[in-house]
Amino acid sequence: MRASTRSITLGVVSLVIVAFGPRIAASSSPNIIVVLADDLGYGDLGCYGNSEVHTPNLDQFATEGLRFTDCYSAAANCSPSRAGLMTGRTPWRLGIHNWIPMMSPMHVKETEITIATLLKGAGYDTCHVGKWHLNGMFNLPGQPQPNDHGFDHWFSIQNNALPNHRNPYNFVRNGIPVGPIEGYSAEIVTDEAIRWLETEEKTERPFFLFVCYSEPHEPVATAERHTQLYADKEDPAERALLGNITQLDEGFGRLMKAVDDLGLREDTLVLFTSDNGPAITGRHPYGSAAPLRAKKGYLREGGIRVPGLLRWPGVTSPDSVCKEPVSGVDLLPTLCAISNIAVPDDRAIDGTSWLPLFNDETLDRENPLYWHFLRAKGSVKVAIREGDWKLVARIDQPDLKPSGGITQEDIEYQTRAQLTDFSLYQLTSDIGETTDLKDTEAERFNAMKHTLVSMYEEVREESPIWPAWEFPRYEGGRIEWPEYQALIKPPVYEP
């Protein structure tokens, strides 16, 4: 298969890790696989302390490389998180303020530069499989599609697999609707990823494969062989949700086996993470962010701290652990550094390269980790993390009801909301964010408050303002998302 043979020796740079391994010298352009789960919580894997869930493949993968204890998504829900990961920029800068419904004006503009675009320009073959969720006009004219953002091959869905994970009908391959497919989403996505790896020409070109599973996002559908593992659970919804995580794990395990079978392991960097914390809904109230506070949609730790597992043979040591805070926005500068690609210098890049971590040094961030979500659940709408310290802020406007897309209320809030009511937490000693230390740490609090306010104003100024979008209305009121989703009918395909 395609294993790059080009070599360089990078300068010594480096991370706070337990038992880290050899310095970087294997390849200037390793193959890269990024695997993204959907709504998988910090406490949803065995390797993060969950004793009830069956995740043997991810648990084994954790022993083969590095496990991050303080890995963050770029946002508290899906579209912004993915936008931040792909561009290295806080998603509010891009105008990705919330999750993107179909037909929404929100999208990652063609002027934004993604990881895939940069890697493709450096000679990588590129492929996206699974959930896209970076535009509203998916596979329609008027907004960029995956190929416009650097992917040679794409097999994608706009948001969720529909009608659920079982027998989805809404996948599109390189602009052509595929039609109904038998099987479960994780199986289907894994099959396409493996097929792409196996059928691509055997060249010396490295590859970037971005695999975005739907599991365990609702609407959940789980194969019986996975739910049977949880027969002791009384609630079928719990069996379905836990089985759905196992379904994801099985797909990941098959993908990693294919990497091994094709002889790619030694020259391939693999990152596994999640787009945000667990949903924990009324229908499936069983995802876990333990021991963190809150869940998806919140800027508390449970909404943004996620699993993060990295294997890069010859660089990461088996069964190693890193406590350095890292984020999805770091991926672009990290992959640029690894592959000798210049980071775009004509725009703000909020992430920083992890390269120092691979040589036992701490990261030197120009700016703290930053989150900005005016429709966040709970009162906290903006947050930063510097070292072990997290500062959160509210806004001087009433809470908006959770919603997707962009509405007139969002536009008004974006232009007028001011920060207020700040709180400071020391996360090493207070992972649950229970004790506000702003009075006892006044100097630190004031410095971080100044930084947070400055970043908030800068990011808000850069963000585009979209036209407002509302869910369709009917005589009795506004159609909410579950009702709207039920209106979507499978397309009819001619044989």
Side-chain angles (χ1 to χ4, degrees):
M1 194 51 195
R2 298 165 299 172
S4 173
T5 57
R6 290 168 288 173
S7 297
I8 63 165
T9 302
L10 299 179
V12 175
V13 260
S14 78
L15 154 166
V16 178
I17 291 188
V18 176
F20 225 109
R23 298 297 185 260
I24 300 169
S27 172
S28 60
S29 298
N31 304 315
I32 297 163
I33 300 176
V34 176
V35 180
L36 195 62
D38 198 347
D39 290 1
L40 185 74
Y42 186 79
D44 275 336
L45 299 179
C47 56
Y48 279 87
N50 191 319
S51 61
E52 295 188 324
V53 71
H54 294 266
T55 51
N57 295 296
L58 284 160
D59 296 345
Q60 174 62 32
F61 184 78
T63 69
E64 296 170 354
L66 169 67
R67 180 174 64 86
F68 290 104
T69 64
D70 293 49
C71 180
Y72 289 91
S73 57
N77 68 357
C78 36
S79 297
S81 174
R82 293 159 197 271
L85 182 149
M86 287 296 293
T87 65
R89 286 157 54 78
T90 293
W92 201 274
R93 293 188 190 275
L94 319 181
I96 310 301
H97 301 161
N98 201 351
W99 66 269
I100 303 176
M102 189 65 181
M103 308 306 294
S104 171
M106 275 199 298
H107 64 278
V108 175
K109 294 184 175 183
E110 200 162 4
T111 53
E112 294 294 340
I113 300 174
T114 69
I115 293 170
T117 297
L118 291 168
L119 291 173
K120 181 178 179 179
Y124 275 72
D125 292 331
T126 57
C127 175
H128 175 269
V129 292
K131 180 170 177 174
W132 178 241
H133 218 188
L134 294 180
N135 64 3
M137 307 291 288
F138 177 70
N139 205 38
L140 294 170
Q143 293 177 1
Q145 305 304 321
N147 54 289
D148 298 308
H149 281 304
F151 289 102
D152 300 314
H153 180 91
W154 52 286
F155 176 78
S156 312
I157 49 179
Q158 191 267 340
N159 181 4
N160 301 323
L162 296 175
N164 51 46
H165 300 149
R166 183 174 179 270
N167 299 342
Y169 58 74
N170 58 327
F171 275 89
V172 174
R173 182 183 287 114
N174 298 327
I176 302 174
V178 178
I181 309 174
E182 290 188 4
Y184 290 85
S185 178
E187 299 170 347
I188 293 165
V189 167
T190 302
D191 286 346
E192 184 76 10
I194 293 173
R195 186 181 303 113
W196 183 78
L197 288 173
E198 290 177 341
T199 59
E200 287 294 291
E201 294 182 4
K202 294 180 176 65
T203 72
E204 289 302 307
R205 289 166 60 89
F207 65 81
F208 171 49
L209 174 60
F210 189 23
V211 181
C212 298
Y213 288 111
S214 292
E215 285 84 353
H217 193 293
E218 292 182 343
V220 168
T222 305
E224 186 177 359
R225 67 180 181 275
H226 300 312
T227 60
Q228 286 177 343
L229 295 172
Y230 306 96
D232 61 320
K233 304 299 180 185
E234 182 177 347
D235 188 347
E238 184 173 13
R239 296 196 295 270
L241 191 282
L242 293 176
N244 210 242
I245 296 172
T246 302
Q247 190 162 280
L248 160 70
D249 179 81
E250 180 187 74
F252 179 80
R254 288 180 53 225
L255 179 61
M256 292 300 99
K257 182 178 184 302
V259 168
D260 287 350
D261 290 347
L262 292 167
L264 298 170
R265 177 192 281 237
E266 295 306 312
D267 201 30
T268 301
L269 179 158
V270 181
L271 173 68
F272 174 89
T273 188
S274 179
D275 64 344
N276 46 249
I280 312 182
T281 67
R283 186 180 300 175
H284 294 96
Y286 298 106
S288 174
L292 310 175
R293 179 175 175 178
K295 59 180 182 177
K296 174 184 178 179
Y298 291 81
L299 294 189
R300 297 296 186 177
E301 292 292 284
I304 54 177
R305 197 189 293 201
V306 293
L309 305 172
L310 178 67
R311 186 185 73 190
W312 188 7
V315 178
T316 57
S317 290
D319 214 16
S320 54
V321 176
C322 174
K323 297 183 178 181
E324 183 84 5
V326 298
S327 169
V329 294
D330 296 334
L331 191 60
L332 183 143
T334 298
L335 297 184
C336 284
I338 287 170
S339 302
N340 277 342
I341 300 170
V343 175
D345 60 3
D346 61 343
R347 64 201 63 206
I349 299 294
D350 295 292
T352 193
S353 169
W354 295 345
L355 213 58
L357 303 184
F358 304 138
N359 295 288
D360 299 329
E361 297 175 6
T362 57
L363 299 182
D364 182 17
R365 292 189 179 275
E366 184 175 343
N367 292 312
L369 297 178
Y370 177 82
W371 297 271
H372 184 141
F373 186 19
L374 297 188
R375 273 198 184 267
K377 299 176 183 178
S379 60
V380 172
K381 309 300 183 184
V382 184
I384 59 172
R385 176 164 177 176
E386 284 187 325
D388 294 333
W389 295 87
K390 181 178 179 181
L391 183 71
V392 304
R394 288 81 179 170
I395 58 173
D396 61 353
Q397 304 292 322
D399 281 351
L400 292 170
K401 182 180 179 181
S403 175
I406 189 81
T407 69
Q408 188 60 41
E409 290 176 310
D410 292 298
I411 294 169
E412 293 171 0
Y413 270 46
Q414 178 181 346
T415 56
R416 74 178 186 223
Q418 299 297 320
L419 301 184
T420 186
D421 192 13
F422 300 80
S423 299
L424 180 66
Y425 302 97
Q426 212 283 357
L427 293 177
T428 302
S429 60
D430 183 22
I431 196 171
E433 300 170 274
T434 62
T435 306
D436 184 358
L437 299 177
K438 66 182 176 186
D439 294 329
T440 56
E441 293 281 344
E443 184 176 356
R444 183 186 305 275
F445 170 76
N446 288 327
M448 290 184 69
K449 178 181 176 182
H450 175 77
T451 299
L452 178 56
V453 172
S454 296
M455 289 193 68
Y456 174 75
E457 292 175 349
E458 175 196 338
V459 168
R460 182 174 63 172
E461 178 67 25
E462 184 175 356
S463 180
I465 296 178
W466 307 104
W469 186 94
E470 293 277 0
F471 285 113
R473 293 182 178 272
Y474 65 106
E475 187 174 347
R478 192 174 79 175
I479 299 177
E480 299 297 339
W481 173 243
E483 300 166 304
Y484 176 71
Q485 192 176 47
L487 296 175
I488 304 173
K489 304 297 183 183
V492 176
Y493 295 91
E494 297 296 332

